[in-house]
Amino acid sequence: MDANRIFDTVSNLARNALVDEVTATPKPGLVDSDNSGAHDDMDINTFLKSADALFPYFYKFCEYGYNTADMSESDSLPEARLIGIEAEKAMYLATHGVNTHKGIIFSVGLICMAVGRLYRLNKNINIENICETVAKTVSGICIKDYSEITDESLMSNGERIYKQYGIKGPRGEAESGFLTVRVFSYPFMKKCFEQRMDKNTAMVRTLVYLMSIVDDTNVINRGGKTMAEYVKEKSATLYNSDIEKIREFDKDLTEKRLSAGGCADLLAVTWFIYNLEQII
């Protein structure tokens, strides 16, 4: 398979990961096929429009990773961030200013870059090589990015939470080579499919499993550390439950206005990497 066909396939898998994430139902507190969860400014159609708008940028990330394979991983990051900025603009245009996938542009963009680089270098496109490449690409990003902004009025929610609690969010996940995905959600999802679970159930259970272990900055921003611990503890009792019990949890978090958006992003990353290993 030539490079263009590889990049087209990977870009489609990336877009499909976003679509499959938002359509997985029920997702406690999150937008899904049933409802908008704790969100008033977005629904499933907002996410679907965003996923379509981002498709060409996932291709650009793949192509950029391929074209910069002769550079060190970390040296390729500054220009990659410019692609990310253009992708964000396309997202906001498609959603009329709603942030649906800003975190995913960062995470999935890095994975697409890694795939392009690995293909150029004739290396196996598997979870280990992908995650190692991502970690090298963003090495030192947390210290650099979080130390540059000192004015609290200019900080994002994630930056404020890092300053207060030391929780690194999506940057930290990427810098660790998606440790949470490698060690927890990917093996969990793989086991679900080995048990012949249908896709929706496997994805919902993987999400709730992630919610039981991740310090989600979106939950902390909305409810503080106390409610974040509540979400983790409740999720730990539910990730192997049937869909109806998880649907009750959806109502609970929707009423509490809590949304584990970081976990939703990690679900999409997990599903994307799982499919890359199956298809590429």
Side-chain angles (χ1 to χ4, degrees), residues 110-111 114 129-139 174-175 177-178:
L110 286 168
I111 294 169
N129 286 343
I130 290 169
C131 292
E132 180 184 8
T133 302
V134 168
K136 288 179 179 178
T137 302
V138 297
S139 178
E175 193 172 20
F178 296 114

Side-chain angles (χ1 to χ4, degrees), residues 179-203:
L179 180 67
T180 301
V181 173
R182 283 186 289 116
V183 175
F184 297 103
S185 60
Y186 181 90
F188 184 89
M189 179 178 280
K190 189 174 181 181
K191 185 177 179 181
C192 287
F193 286 117
E194 287 170 352
Q195 295 172 350
R196 301 189 181 279
M197 206 173 289
D198 66 89
K199 182 177 77 173
N200 186 70
T201 302
M203 292 191 72

Side-chain angles (χ1 to χ4, degrees), residues 210-248:
L210 281 162
M211 290 168 63
S212 75
I213 58 176
V214 172
D215 290 313
D216 194 297
T217 55
N218 290 274
V219 177
I220 295 171
N221 180 56
R222 283 172 171 256
K225 283 286 284 182
T226 299
M227 292 310 300
E229 287 304 312
Y230 168 79
V231 169
K232 289 173 69 175
E233 290 170 8
K234 186 74 173 177
S235 299
T237 70
L238 289 174
Y239 61 76
N240 281 321
S241 298
D242 59 46
I243 290 295
E244 287 312 307
K245 286 188 177 179
I246 295 173
R247 200 180 303 278
E248 291 172 9

